[in-house]
Amino acid sequence: QVQLVESGGGLVQPGGSLRLSCAVSGSIFSINAMGWYRQAPGKQRELVAVITSGGITNYADSVKGRFTISRDNAKNTVYLQMNSLKPEDMAVYYCNADAATIATRRYIEVWGQGTLVAVSS
């Protein structure tokens, strides 16, 4: 079984910064792509950033130049550094990973429980 646990959300003023972390636990055989998504009230969940196992990244246009995704493969952890936060960045942020367990060696998509990022003065 694979679990994702996010941390680092909270309240920040516009222009501020936050760093989200997501640790993958369980009997992990391998992790492919990892990413961050967000969902604001009344809106659909959207991709924020994704990073492959080889370190290739992709960002939503709305966060390019402000957010940075990174991962530590030794720790099975993905990070999202968020700078110059705007009120429109306020949402619940979800971690996502394509992970395979030792038992099955099959990749499945796993989601974290979400962490709230609030941007307000």
Side-chain angles (χ1 to χ4, degrees), residues 1 13-15 19 27-28 35 42-44 49 53-54 63 72 77-78 81 87 90 99 107 115 119:
Q1 188 174 1
Q13 292 185 341
R19 188 191 194 211
S27 300
I28 305 298
K43 295 188 177 181
Q44 290 187 333
S53 57
V63 306
D72 184 333
T77 300
V78 63
Q81 178 65 43
M90 184 162 60
Y107 286 94
T115 185
V119 184

Side-chain angles (χ1 to χ4, degrees), residues 104-117:
T104 67
R105 307 291 178 98
R106 289 184 173 182
Y107 286 94
I108 59 172
E109 187 177 41
V110 189
W111 291 90
Q113 80 284 358
T115 185
L116 177 64
V117 172

Side-chain angles (χ1 to χ4, degrees), residues 86-97:
K86 304 175 181 180
E88 51 263 43
D89 294 318
M90 184 162 60
V92 176
Y93 284 69
Y94 296 91
C95 178
N96 171 278

Side-chain angles (χ1 to χ4, degrees), residues 6-104:
E6 301 121 333
S7 61
L11 174 63
V12 64
Q13 292 185 341
S17 298
L18 280 175
R19 188 191 194 211
L20 305 182
S21 299
C22 172
V24 184
S25 64
S27 300
I28 305 298
F29 170 69
S30 176
I31 302 174
N32 198 358
M34 303 180 78
W36 290 95
Y37 290 72
R38 67 187 181 187
Q39 187 167 19
K43 295 188 177 181
Q44 290 187 333
R45 190 174 297 188
E46 63 176 0
L47 173 69
V48 176
V50 64
I51 184 168
T52 68
S53 57
I56 297 173
T57 59
N58 191 34
Y59 296 90
D61 287 342
S62 60
V63 306
K64 283 180 180 177
R66 300 187 297 121
F67 291 10
T68 302
I69 189 170
S70 61
R71 63 191 284 173
D72 184 333
N73 291 329
K75 296 181 178 180
N76 291 334
T77 300
V78 63
Y79 306 96
L80 185 68
Q81 178 65 43
M82 304 184 293
N83 298 329
S84 302
L85 281 160
K86 304 175 181 180
E88 51 263 43
D89 294 318
M90 184 162 60
V92 176
Y93 284 69
Y94 296 91
C95 178
N96 171 278
D98 288 329
T101 63
I102 294 173
T104 67

